[in-house]
Amino acid sequence: MMRLIALLTLSLVLAGCAGGMSKKECLYADWRAIGYEDGAQGRDASAIGSRRVACADKAKITPDMEAYLSGREKGLDQFCRPANGFDYGSRGYSYTGACAARDEGAFVAAYEKGLTLYGFVENYNAASNALANAHDELGNIDHQIAHAQAALVNPVTPHPERLDHLAELKTLYERRDKVRDAIPHLTRDADLAQAELEDYRHEMADRDYARGALAATAASY
């Protein structure tokens, strides 16, 4: 199971590399193992297409489709389980129907629950980032204000520059007021997003298929 979770974590990267087989890889390919990898990652059988083109071009090799499809079926046996559906959804991955010939109902139901978790995590992260950015902006404005004030009272600052600093301070004070006014709203948004996420995690905590993904996502926020 841990091996499968690792494969799922890498699936987006590997999907982009599927057709990048070298001549040597084509010549010594274990098509059953490749099929298993594709099945375990929930890839459609069409994933073999890019490999077929690469191996025909580089090594004049045709994939062993019987071995590939046999391996893929074994991989799908591992992939098409509710726990993996929930995990897949919780990572925000797209499901393309690889489990249609199996007990897809249970898989898809868990996948959709996982997608819901993913949405709550994304909402919380977005709200938290917005609040953190506002605090960062406020600190930056305060720094600019202090710099402008110091220049304004410096006796060597020419009069025209003093006027520029006064105008700058007016703008900075207005920006600071806007950011200060926004922070309570952003704080409430972040608190609400966190409460919604925690409520959903609590709701899912007694589902056996969700426990692994819940533990994994706990470290992401």
Side-chain angles (χ1 to χ4, degrees):
M1 182 61 69
M2 292 303 295
R3 178 175 181 273
L4 178 58
I5 291 174
L7 289 173
L8 291 175
T9 305
L10 293 172
S11 65
L12 293 182
V13 175
L14 292 175
C17 301
M21 295 180 68
S22 68
K23 179 178 179 179
K24 183 176 180 180
E25 288 170 333
C26 290
L27 289 171
Y28 297 101
D30 183 340
W31 293 106
R32 191 179 304 275
I34 291 172
Y36 180 87
E37 296 280 312
D38 283 354
Q41 293 171 32
R43 288 183 185 166
D44 189 80
S46 62
I48 191 66
S50 57
R51 296 189 180 93
R52 185 198 301 275
V53 172
C55 290
D57 180 57
K58 298 175 182 178
K60 310 304 179 188
I61 292 292
T62 299
D64 183 343
M65 290 302 298
E66 182 177 353
Y68 173 83
L69 293 174
S70 175
R72 181 173 177 273
E73 287 299 307
K74 294 292 186 182
L76 286 174
D77 287 341
Q78 295 297 317
F79 176 75
C80 298
R81 298 178 178 181
N84 295 325
F86 189 86
D87 181 77
Y88 213 60
S90 73
R91 298 171 188 270
Y93 293 165
S94 296
Y95 170 62
T96 58
C99 301
R102 288 170 169 75
D103 184 10
E104 187 181 46
F107 178 90
V108 170
Y111 169 76
E112 290 176 347
K113 293 289 188 182
L115 271 184
T116 300
L117 174 63
Y118 176 77
F120 281 129
V121 171
E122 288 293 288
N123 287 341
Y124 171 72
N125 287 338
S128 297
N129 289 338
L131 178 59
N133 289 340
H135 281 294
D136 288 344
E137 183 179 3
L138 187 60
N140 184 50
I141 292 172
D142 285 339
H143 177 75
Q144 293 179 64
I145 287 174
H147 179 77
Q149 287 175 335
L152 185 63
V153 299
N154 192 327
V156 302
T157 301
H159 180 70
E161 289 187 18
R162 291 178 188 276
L163 297 178
D164 290 340
H165 287 306
L166 284 171
E168 179 187 11
L169 283 169
K170 180 177 182 297
T171 299
L172 289 170
Y173 291 145
E174 291 173 350
R175 282 179 54 200
R176 184 174 65 180
D177 288 344
K178 289 181 179 179
V179 175
R180 282 177 172 173
D181 289 343
I183 284 178
H185 300 285
L186 294 172
T187 301
R188 285 194 292 272
D189 289 344
D191 289 343
L192 176 60
Q194 183 175 21
E196 290 176 338
L197 172 58
E198 290 301 330
D199 285 347
Y200 190 73
R201 287 178 57 83
H202 181 73
E203 178 185 339
M204 291 290 105
D206 62 347
R207 313 288 178 93
D208 289 340
Y209 63 74
R211 289 174 181 169
L214 288 175
T217 58
S220 68
Y221 67 94

